[in-house]
Amino acid sequence: MKLANTKRINEKIMQIESIRQALLMLNGTVTNQIASSYIIPESLEAIKADAVKLRENMDKNNGKGYSVEQITMLLIVEAVAAQLMPGNPKIVDMYMNLIAPESKVFDINEFKNNPYIKNIAFHNQQLGDYDLCTQNMAPYELMIYNIPQSNTPFYISIPRIGCFSKEFSYPSIRQTSIKSTWMSVTPNEVYTVQGAVDNAKGKVLTLGCGMGYFAYMASLKEDVESITIVELEQDVIDLFEKHILPQFENKEKITVVKADAIEFMKNISDGEYDYCFADIWIGIEDMDVYFSVKEVSRHMRKTKIDYWIEESFASYLLSYIWMEVLKAFAKNNHIELPINEANLPEEELRKVNYIHRLMKNVEINKPEDMDYYFNPKNIIKLVNKSKLIF
């Protein structure tokens, strides 16, 4: 990376770095607690009462925007943030101002009327070690409902937080031997898959079966001719074919192929399918799997391919891009950074090296160039143009 040594760029880097570390620590802890379902309020009625008062004050001052339910949710998040950052209300306020605009309290009827949730029954069905059932989400139980928002002033990924104001039941598959949820259809699944459903048309290929949510929703579209599901795990195939697929209105559109997704992609021709949706990873911790699919699909031009939560992967890489910026800044200003890459775990070092190679020929000549490269969509473009192997 070539970083111009200008006053404007240096001032921007120092301003961001002075705040970014505290926000990163707060954001990481809050995000992990929500993702682990650790944040369920104990004194909910008291929080609701405070929310009503705040909403009344907003009304008196012609305030607009947030409902009592949204304010309740945000007060829950704020209480957690304040515990994590005692004595630093400025950082907490800054964080809440980033969280609030994308927060949602879901309409329970909207999700009850989701075609999959409405039409696919999951009651009292078992297959081996797996139990198809419904689970309950408590009122104001916080969740991350979509890919993070990353176009923020401090180049960090802020979670999109949501909840229901009433108890909500959702379909899931539990592995009974370890008493753990294996798969589920929550708002996160609905929101993160919707773009792929919208894009699906013609002959569709999907890598990964899961609970068949994408396949079902895509099969309802008139412009979807067929859907081929590639799935390696026989248990997943058995669950799907025995309990879920028979409930599809358009089951004749579905074909299931037992195969390794990456090997399958190596053996199909460009244009054999009109659209492909890749979804064989659990989350951003499976970055190597995501890159493996992208790399094996580079020859595809006629087949449109979408990758589940791709912007989340790009958002995750922003921290490594910031490290490249800091290294270039330190070199320009003869500063020694307290970073010893040799001590990083192998997987971390792999990401550091990949981003170093990806950004090698990037030139940042003005602060606006930094804004460009800290937009996940632009990082995806850079990855797509590159022939690098992760």
Side-chain angles (χ1 to χ4, degrees):
M1 175 186 287
K2 297 177 182 177
L3 182 75
N5 192 10
T6 69
K7 182 180 179 182
R8 289 181 64 215
I9 287 177
N10 290 342
E11 285 180 348
K12 180 162 186 167
I13 291 171
M14 289 186 291
Q15 180 186 25
I16 291 172
E17 184 63 11
S18 68
I19 297 171
R20 190 172 184 272
Q21 292 306 315
L23 278 175
L24 269 178
M25 186 184 72
L26 177 59
N27 185 56
T29 306
V30 170
T31 301
N32 289 336
Q33 288 192 13
I34 293 173
S36 304
S37 300
Y38 288 154
I39 302 178
I40 300 175
E42 296 179 359
S43 53
L44 184 55
E45 292 308 314
I47 296 172
K48 284 182 181 178
D50 289 340
V52 169
K53 291 177 183 177
L54 284 170
R55 181 64 254 183
E56 288 173 350
N57 288 334
M58 291 171 70
D59 289 337
K60 289 176 184 177
N61 296 303
N62 296 318
K64 297 180 180 179
Y66 301 113
S67 66
V68 169
E69 290 78 14
Q70 284 176 298
I71 296 170
T72 300
M73 178 182 65
L74 291 171
L75 286 175
I76 294 168
V77 178
E78 185 179 43
V80 174
Q83 287 179 348
L84 295 170
M85 281 284 172
N88 204 337
K90 180 182 176 182
I91 293 294
V92 173
D93 287 346
M94 199 176 293
Y95 185 64
M96 292 307 301
N97 286 332
L98 294 171
I99 286 276
E102 294 287 335
S103 64
K104 284 184 181 292
V105 176
F106 305 117
D107 179 353
I108 197 167
N109 291 321
E110 177 186 345
F111 282 90
K112 282 183 176 179
N113 290 320
N114 173 282
Y116 184 97
I117 294 173
K118 184 177 181 180
N119 297 326
I120 307 300
F122 273 74
H123 298 292
N124 302 318
Q125 300 182 73
Q126 289 184 316
L127 185 65
D129 194 28
Y130 300 97
D131 182 17
L132 283 74
C133 60
T134 57
Q135 296 190 70
N136 294 325
M137 199 168 286
Y140 295 98
E141 180 179 343
L142 302 181
M143 73 188 86
I144 296 170
Y145 71 85
N146 207 341
I147 59 173
Q149 47 173 328
S150 296
N151 193 16
T152 64
F154 306 102
Y155 303 151
I156 63 174
S157 301
I158 300 295
R160 288 183 165 99
I161 296 175
C163 69
F164 290 96
S165 60
K166 299 177 182 178
E167 187 175 80
F168 175 69
S169 297
Y170 59 94
S172 68
I173 298 175
R174 286 182 60 81
Q175 191 168 357
T176 54
S177 61
I178 60 174
K179 297 180 181 179
S180 176
T181 299
W182 192 35
M183 303 178 191
S184 61
V185 175
T186 64
N188 180 274
E189 178 81 357
V190 172
Y191 276 93
T192 58
V193 171
Q194 188 57 50
V197 173
D198 292 341
N199 290 336
K201 65 177 182 179
K203 295 180 180 178
V204 173
L205 173 67
T206 179
L207 308 180
C209 180
M211 292 170 62
Y213 179 79
F214 166 77
Y216 177 80
M217 297 297 287
S219 72
L220 298 178
K221 297 179 65 177
E222 290 184 5
D223 59 350
V224 168
E225 177 185 337
S226 64
I227 302 171
T228 300
I229 301 172
V230 177
E231 174 57 55
L232 183 60
E233 299 296 330
Q234 189 62 50
D235 286 344
V236 177
I237 294 172
D238 292 343
L239 276 168
F240 178 70
E241 291 188 329
K242 182 174 181 180
H243 293 297
I244 300 174
L245 180 58
Q247 301 182 65
F248 281 30
E249 294 97 308
N250 299 319
K251 61 180 74 66
E252 70 281 356
K253 291 185 179 182
I254 309 295
T255 301
V256 181
V257 177
K258 185 179 188 298
D260 177 87
I262 294 171
E263 292 302 316
F264 187 90
M265 291 297 287
K266 290 179 182 177
N267 294 299
I268 63 173
S269 58
D270 188 14
E272 187 172 340
Y273 295 93
D274 299 295
Y275 177 77
C276 174
F277 178 50
D279 178 10
I280 59 170
W281 39 85
I282 296 172
I284 59 172
E285 63 271 21
D286 295 325
M287 187 166 288
D288 56 335
V289 183
Y290 158 73
F291 272 109
S292 294
V293 177
K294 280 193 77 75
E295 288 159 9
V296 81
S297 307
R298 279 179 178 158
H299 67 289
M300 296 289 187
R301 294 293 181 269
K302 299 175 184 176
T303 301
K304 176 178 173 53
I305 306 178
D306 284 328
Y307 304 87
W308 182 60
I309 63 168
E310 182 166 37
E311 280 194 40
S312 293
F313 287 112
S315 296
Y316 182 77
L317 292 174
L318 295 185
S319 289
Y320 299 92
I321 296 173
W322 183 249
M323 192 182 298
E324 288 297 304
V325 170
L326 289 181
K327 286 191 288 188
F329 170 78
K331 183 178 179 181
N332 286 344
N333 293 279
H334 310 289
I335 300 170
E336 187 173 338
L337 290 177
I339 300 173
N340 188 350
E341 293 179 357
N343 293 330
L344 291 174
E346 184 178 344
E347 279 303 307
E348 285 296 293
L349 192 58
R350 186 180 179 188
K351 294 163 192 166
V352 168
N353 290 336
Y354 177 80
I355 289 299
H356 178 73
R357 290 179 289 138
L358 185 70
M359 304 295 288
K360 184 177 180 180
N361 296 319
V362 166
E363 293 187 10
I364 294 178
N365 297 310
K366 53 186 184 296
E368 292 76 16
D369 293 340
M370 290 173 59
D371 295 338
Y372 178 88
Y373 286 107
F374 281 92
N375 183 325
K377 289 184 172 64
N378 294 328
I379 295 304
I380 292 169
K381 290 178 184 177
L382 198 61
V383 169
N384 289 343
K385 290 179 183 177
S386 168
K387 294 184 180 179
L388 292 174
I389 301 298
F390 177 66

